[in-house]
Amino acid sequence: MSRDSKYILELLTDYGIIGPAEIEKAQAKVDESDGSLDIIDALVMLGYTTEQDIQAMLAQQFGLEVMELTGYVVPPEVLAALPKEIVLQYNVVPVMKNDNTLTIAMSDPTNMEVIDSIRYLLGCDVEAVISKEDQINDIINKHYHTINDSVDEALREYEDEGLGSVQIGGIGATEETTADDSPVIKLVSLIIMEAFKMRASDIHFEPMETYYRVRVRVDGVLRELERPPKYIQSNLTSRIKIMSRMDIAEKRVPQDGRIQIRVADRDLDLRVSSIPSVHGESVVMRILDKSSIQLEIPQLGFYPDDMKIIDRILGLPDGIFLVTGPTGSGKTTSLYAFLNTLNTPARKIITAEDPVEYQLSGINQVQVDRSVNLTFAAALRSMLRQAPNIIMVGEIRDLETGEIAVNASLTGHLVFSTLHTNDAPGAIARMVDMGVKGFMLASSLRAVMAQRLLRRMCKLCAEPYTPSERETRLLGLSDEYLATHQFKRGAGCPACIRGYKGRMGIYEIFDLSKDITELVYQGKPTNVLRDAARKNGMMTLREDAIRKAADGLTSLEEVIRVTMTDNE
């Protein structure tokens, strides 16, 4: 039952707890949340008031008492006094019964008609106390079995849609969610199926002080699912740790695991990570769908001018090609696409990865394992003895790996790797900071590609619109450019999520021509390298994103979100 935010806002103002300035800032927070927060939630988050203050104010206003339900045990005879249908309809719970008077706990006393309705339905006197909504929900879920009921109903819906159930173990799986399983087992399966249906890339199980949050990342943006009750937090964590073969008794140190599952006749790998936090173990599942990874270069979103550079680099017999960007920017997918193109019977390709996310047919893939000292450097050193033509190193993290990669490229190998930098020219300074000598880098490095992922506009609901003054100002779009290009944005439809469906890459390719190689040899700073690359025609991440927005592939709003840190 939702609370009367407008009434509570008026009371907070009348009591002098907030003023117009606080309301304005809270409203801005609500706008940023895309509707997931109401203004009272925003005021609490910003620290202008607390749930306790709101409870005390409402209690005084309505002449009611505040009751703390954490740890409170409701007697069975009291629970039986209020039918389940009434509990679920009005989101109230019985807490005490004295003679012919039943006391119920409610979170929203602004709707006093609820008490009259319950009094009429039960034919007895009903009194009310105020309690926190999450505490009321905990009692409802614990004693009225709403978790099991709602999960069973949702699982039946997914079965009707053809998703079937979650099978642990992938092909030939033996463990399957059944009607006889506990609510926790079924709830974990339900969350995985819901994430799969939403095309999520990962699932986050996050314990907070008073609630337990589950979020999924869809097209790079986190979305919150319905919150499970706080009291099943430890059971959910234990279930996930059992599925991923972690030590459920160890809660003090981070752990990693893996789950192979089968959903809707598709095999998925779940990479699971747990880490202890203040309010319990935080768990993240990364969903790796082997059938969804794009392994063809044209599908990555390159324009013809970029493809020309990529084709030339892939045709080189030696040198280093670096792909840079933050975690989750699609670097591994791009590298896999390049390797897939080069994967022919005439070439031997070896990779060192941490972890091996997808198994590629015809390519020798090595899993880095620090527990046996199989680091990137150690793997790379051993790989050179295998006489490969092409080498891929998951990431250059230290001087040793960097020097071996450089030496490998100078001895006739084509080397691919990744690096964490904000832009492409910045990779030079990053490698030099590691200790790689500039003259060796100038001799071996062929190109650096920075990339990001932005959401692709839904084709079904895209509609033309006029960019706002804020968008044109932030992106530096001239009147002449606006006059010759038409932009679109997604209106939102059943086939997409708020106007977007899927993601695509934007790229900044730093091609080391002879004059730029000379600048690298001279040890010139990043800004000089960037200026020289721009003169040679390098397009920045933001410029690539803008031209894709002008072609109707994404929106200017998405360009701003993804390229906010682009300093041009």
Side-chain angles (χ1 to χ4, degrees):
M1 184 175 60
S2 61
R3 57 189 171 188
D4 190 341
S5 298
K6 184 178 179 181
Y7 179 77
I8 295 174
L9 193 63
E10 291 176 355
L11 286 180
L12 289 170
T13 304
D14 292 342
Y15 275 71
I17 297 175
I18 60 170
E22 288 78 13
I23 294 175
E24 183 178 352
K25 291 179 181 178
Q27 188 59 53
K29 192 79 173 176
V30 172
D31 295 339
E32 290 174 6
S33 72
D34 295 328
S36 62
L37 291 176
D38 69 9
I39 194 165
I40 305 303
D41 291 329
L43 287 168
V44 173
M45 288 181 64
L46 292 170
Y48 297 136
T49 186
T50 65
E51 291 290 352
Q52 288 81 358
D53 289 342
I54 295 172
Q55 277 191 325
M57 181 184 66
L58 291 172
Q60 183 178 0
Q61 188 72 15
F62 290 95
L64 302 176
E65 293 183 2
V66 176
M67 184 172 182
E68 176 66 36
L69 295 181
T70 301
Y72 181 76
V73 178
V74 184
E77 63 274 14
V78 176
L79 290 170
L82 197 60
K84 174 181 175 180
E85 293 75 17
I86 296 178
V87 170
L88 300 182
Q89 180 180 354
Y90 296 111
N91 205 63
V92 298
V93 292
V95 290
M96 289 181 286
K97 193 173 190 304
N98 185 17
D99 296 332
N100 197 39
T101 301
L102 178 67
T103 302
I104 63 170
M106 60 193 308
S107 62
D108 179 23
T110 60
N111 187 4
M112 297 302 289
E113 294 178 0
V114 169
I115 297 177
D116 293 333
S117 298
I118 296 175
R119 186 180 292 126
Y120 173 78
L121 291 170
L122 298 182
C124 68
D125 291 333
V126 177
E127 296 180 351
V129 293
I130 300 177
S131 299
K132 290 183 179 179
E133 185 174 11
D134 61 300
Q135 295 177 1
I136 292 174
N137 289 337
D138 283 348
I139 291 179
I140 292 175
N141 289 323
K142 186 174 183 179
H143 295 290
Y144 292 91
H145 309 295
T146 58
I147 297 177
N148 205 18
D149 294 344
S150 59
V151 169
D152 283 343
E153 182 180 352
L155 287 173
R156 283 193 295 270
E157 290 178 2
Y158 280 124
E159 189 172 348
D160 292 340
E161 294 175 14
L163 288 180
S165 60
V166 173
Q167 293 177 306
I168 311 301
I171 297 176
T174 57
E175 182 182 339
E176 182 175 350
T177 306
T178 67
D180 296 329
D181 286 331
S182 71
V184 171
I185 293 176
K186 289 187 283 189
L187 180 57
V188 172
S189 296
L190 175 63
I191 291 172
I192 292 173
M193 282 197 287
E194 193 163 351
F196 173 80
K197 183 180 179 182
M198 295 173 70
R199 300 175 292 103
S201 60
D202 40 77
I203 311 171
H204 298 252
F205 298 84
E206 303 167 314
M208 301 297 164
E209 182 178 6
T210 59
Y211 61 92
Y212 191 65
R213 182 169 65 183
V214 178
R215 296 191 290 178
V216 295
R217 192 183 300 277
V218 181
D219 295 336
V221 179
L222 284 169
R223 298 174 58 84
E224 186 171 355
L225 302 182
E226 184 176 349
R227 293 176 182 174
K230 176 74 173 174
Y231 71 85
I232 67 168
Q233 168 184 317
S234 60
N235 293 336
L236 275 175
T237 303
S238 295
R239 170 59 181 169
I240 295 170
K241 292 173 77 172
I242 289 171
M243 292 170 66
S244 52
R245 301 180 184 274
M246 295 182 188
D247 183 358
I248 63 172
E250 181 57 75
K251 302 178 181 180
R252 301 164 299 173
V253 298
Q255 295 188 63
D256 293 307
R258 179 177 176 179
I259 309 171
Q260 288 185 302
I261 64 172
R262 189 170 179 82
V263 180
D265 296 326
R266 284 174 51 186
D267 292 308
L268 307 178
D269 276 348
L270 306 181
R271 298 296 167 86
V272 186
S273 170
S274 73
I275 187 170
S277 67
V278 175
H279 304 296
E281 291 180 276
S282 176
V283 179
V284 175
M285 289 181 174
R286 186 177 182 191
I287 304 173
L288 303 176
D289 184 359
K290 298 176 183 178
S291 63
S292 67
I293 187 170
Q294 297 174 326
L295 295 179
E296 299 297 329
I297 294 178
Q299 295 176 312
L300 298 179
F302 289 108
Y303 275 109
D305 54 343
D306 290 336
M307 274 302 309
K308 185 177 179 180
I309 300 174
I310 295 295
D311 288 340
R312 183 184 64 79
I313 294 169
L314 295 184
L316 295 173
D318 55 34
I320 298 178
F321 183 24
L322 294 176
V323 180
T324 75
T327 301
S329 58
K331 299 188 297 295
T332 301
T333 301
S334 294
L335 287 176
Y336 279 174
F338 299 152
L339 294 181
N340 189 61
T341 300
L342 295 170
N343 186 15
T344 65
R347 296 188 180 100
K348 178 163 184 174
I349 303 175
I350 305 180
T351 73
E353 305 173 57
D354 184 23
V356 175
E357 295 189 2
Y358 300 96
Q359 295 181 11
L360 305 177
S361 177
I363 294 178
N364 302 276
Q365 296 173 272
V366 178
Q367 170 72 56
V368 169
D369 187 352
R370 291 176 183 78
S371 65
V372 293
N373 293 322
L374 183 57
T375 61
F376 278 122
L380 184 53
R381 192 181 297 109
S382 299
M383 285 158 54
L384 293 174
R385 304 190 193 106
Q386 298 280 315
N389 301 103
I390 298 168
I391 295 170
M392 194 270 274
V393 185
E395 183 182 350
I396 296 178
R397 297 177 178 173
D398 51 44
L399 174 59
E400 185 180 11
T401 308
E403 286 184 334
I404 298 173
V406 167
N407 289 325
S409 70
L410 293 175
T411 54
H413 302 88
L414 184 58
V415 180
F416 295 90
S417 190
T418 70
L419 206 62
H420 287 280
T421 61
N422 290 328
D423 60 7
I428 307 293
R430 178 78 182 94
M431 293 286 283
V432 172
D433 285 344
M434 285 184 189
V436 179
K437 293 181 172 55
F439 70 89
M440 294 185 67
L441 204 55
S443 302
S444 61
L445 192 60
R446 300 292 179 259
V448 183
M449 183 179 79
Q451 71 176 73
R452 301 288 189 277
L453 293 177
L454 46 70
R455 290 179 291 177
R456 190 187 294 269
M457 195 182 305
C458 176
K459 296 180 180 179
L460 298 178
C461 63
E463 57 186 18
Y465 87 110
T466 302
S468 67
E469 185 275 332
R470 172 180 173 272
E471 291 171 336
T472 57
R473 174 173 49 82
L474 288 176
L475 296 175
L477 302 180
S478 64
D479 293 338
E480 292 78 14
Y481 191 86
L482 293 172
T484 56
H485 295 82
Q486 186 179 68
F487 296 92
K488 296 181 179 181
R489 62 183 174 190
C493 67
C496 67
I497 297 178
R498 295 176 182 172
Y500 299 101
K501 185 176 182 181
R503 289 192 289 178
M504 65 186 305
I506 55 173
Y507 305 96
E508 176 181 283
I509 303 179
F510 178 44
D511 190 12
L512 272 74
S513 58
K514 289 184 179 180
D515 56 334
I516 293 179
T517 299
E518 179 62 27
L519 294 175
V520 174
Y521 185 82
Q522 295 172 8
K524 296 297 183 181
T526 300
N527 63 315
V528 175
L529 298 177
R530 170 174 277 272
D531 290 342
R534 298 281 281 136
K535 289 179 182 177
N536 286 351
M538 183 186 80
M539 185 164 287
T540 66
L541 288 167
R542 176 165 290 181
E543 288 170 342
D544 190 38
I546 289 175
R547 65 174 173 172
K548 285 172 178 172
D551 286 342
L553 301 176
T554 189
S555 68
L556 291 180
E557 176 189 43
E558 182 69 359
V559 172
I560 293 172
R561 184 185 73 85
V562 174
T563 65
M564 279 294 288
T565 58
D566 217 9
N567 298 318
E568 301 166 29

